[in-house]
């Protein structure tokens, strides 16, 4: 009798343990799926078109980038040559009443050539701007400032066009384009 009771209890405990493990396995998987769905719902696509001009007419470099992010997480674009390094950080935040605030931060390191008895120098500039915008609105960002002297052929100019849209909208547009 004791052996039967012991084996019955043992089988019940093993069976209950297996069922509990199955329930736990479904719980975290379902939770992960819900977290992923929420993450994709919150995700944003940032489209950045960057152009580097040596003068008003000549485009020296250009890039067209699309990056995925979530509100509060920055997207970084880097540009570098022998004389300069630029790093631009774009961080979108959702406004409670709708739309976005884009925090645009630029960091610029410039090599200043030696003149006379001075040594070569490295200069650092930084700026930060908060830009309110709506989804799909194109904004222009000038990390070096707007081009003021149109007649100076040695002036370098950077222009960036950005637009932000919900990832779900971008993904559905991409799948619609793929079906055509």
């Amino acid at each position: 009798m004791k052996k039967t009771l012991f084996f019955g209890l043992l089988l019940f405990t093993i069976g209950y343990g297996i069922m509990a493990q199955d329930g736990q396995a479904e719980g975290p998987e379902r939770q992960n799926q819900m977290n992923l769905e929420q993450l994709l719902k919150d995700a944003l696509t940032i489209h950045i078109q960057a152009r580097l001009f040596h003068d008003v007419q000549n485009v020296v470099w250009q890039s067209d980038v699309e990056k995925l992010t979530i509100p509060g997480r920055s997207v970084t674009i880097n540009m570098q040559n022998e004389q300069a390094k630029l790093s631009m950080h774009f961080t979108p935040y959702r406004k409670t009443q709708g739309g976005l605030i884009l925090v645009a931060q630029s960091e610029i390191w410039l090599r200043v050539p030696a003149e006379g008895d001075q040594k070569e120098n490295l200069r650092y500039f930084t700026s930060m701007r908060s830009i309110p915008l709506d989804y799909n609105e194109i904004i222009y960002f000038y990390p070096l400032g707007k081009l003021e002297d149109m007649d100076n052929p040695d002036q370098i100019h950077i222009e960036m066009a950005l637009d932000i849209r919900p990832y779900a909208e971008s993904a559905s547009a991409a799948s619609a384009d793929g079906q055509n």
Side-chain angles (χ1 to χ4, degrees), residues 30-115:
R30 178 70 181 139
Q31 186 65 34
N32 288 341
Q33 182 181 1
M34 289 175 11
N35 289 344
L36 181 59
E37 288 170 2
Q38 184 62 41
L39 187 64
L40 288 174
K41 183 180 172 188
D42 291 342
L44 301 169
T45 301
I46 298 180
H47 182 230
I48 304 168
Q49 294 176 312
R51 297 188 304 171
L52 174 68
F53 297 90
H54 185 259
D55 58 32
V56 181
Q57 305 280 329
N58 298 324
V59 176
V60 176
W61 176 86
Q62 66 182 21
S63 174
D64 195 344
V65 178
E66 196 164 274
K67 294 201 175 193
L68 184 64
T69 191
I70 57 174
R73 188 132 202 178
S74 69
V75 168
T76 300
I77 302 294
N78 293 305
M79 303 166 81
Q80 184 172 347
N81 67 13
E82 299 83 32
Q83 290 86 25
K85 178 183 178 191
L86 289 84
S87 185
M88 280 73 61
H89 312 279
F90 300 103
T91 310
Y93 294 94
R94 282 205 169 95
K95 294 193 302 188
T96 54
Q97 62 271 45
L100 299 165
I101 294 285
L102 180 67
V103 176
Q105 178 188 6
S106 64
E107 297 178 280
I108 303 165
W109 294 266
L110 292 176
R111 251 185 239 288
V112 179
E115 289 184 15

